[in-house]
């Protein structure tokens, strides 16, 4: 959490890709504690929305994988050019 705070405070999130990466990392950390799990889910949802908006399919797939594992589900299928079109 300390390093996420440093990254957010240092202006490292100046592109959609960097914001998605930071939100994904932060959300993933928050999922590990039952007291912050809801915040982690909300942050991952926000990151997924931004990833979809900017066509960041690799990041979106990673986020969906994290969410599926947290729910105890199976990792979603890979996104390919054919399936993302």
């Amino acid at each position: 959490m300390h390093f996420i705070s440093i990254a957010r405070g240092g202006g490292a999130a100046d592109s959609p890709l960097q914001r998605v990466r930071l939100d994904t990392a932060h959300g993933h950390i928050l999922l590990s504690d039952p007291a912050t799990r809801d915040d982690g889910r909300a942050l991952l949802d926000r990151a997924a929305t931004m990833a979809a908006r900017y066509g960041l399919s690799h990041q979106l797939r990673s986020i969906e994988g994290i969410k599926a594992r947290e729910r105890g589900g199976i990792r979603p299928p890979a996104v390919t050019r054919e399936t993302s079109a």
Side-chain angles (χ1 to χ4, degrees):
M1 289 298 292
H2 173 72
F3 296 114
I4 295 287
S5 296
I6 289 171
R8 287 191 186 281
D14 57 357
S15 73
L17 176 60
Q18 291 298 342
R19 285 193 300 270
V20 167
R21 286 175 143 181
L22 279 173
D23 284 351
T24 301
H26 192 186
H28 201 180
I29 290 167
L30 293 175
L31 285 179
S32 68
D33 183 346
T36 58
R37 197 162 286 150
D38 289 340
D39 294 332
R41 288 180 189 127
L43 203 48
L44 287 173
D45 287 343
R46 184 174 85 185
T49 299
M50 185 175 293
R53 181 182 312 134
Y54 288 98
L56 304 171
S57 59
H58 178 75
Q59 284 71 26
L60 183 57
R61 182 170 164 249
S62 294
I63 294 163
E64 292 302 325
I66 292 166
K67 290 166 63 174
R69 284 188 300 276
E70 191 264 332
R71 290 189 305 265
I74 300 170
R75 187 179 182 118
V79 175
T80 65
R81 278 183 224 231
E82 293 78 26
T83 61
S84 66

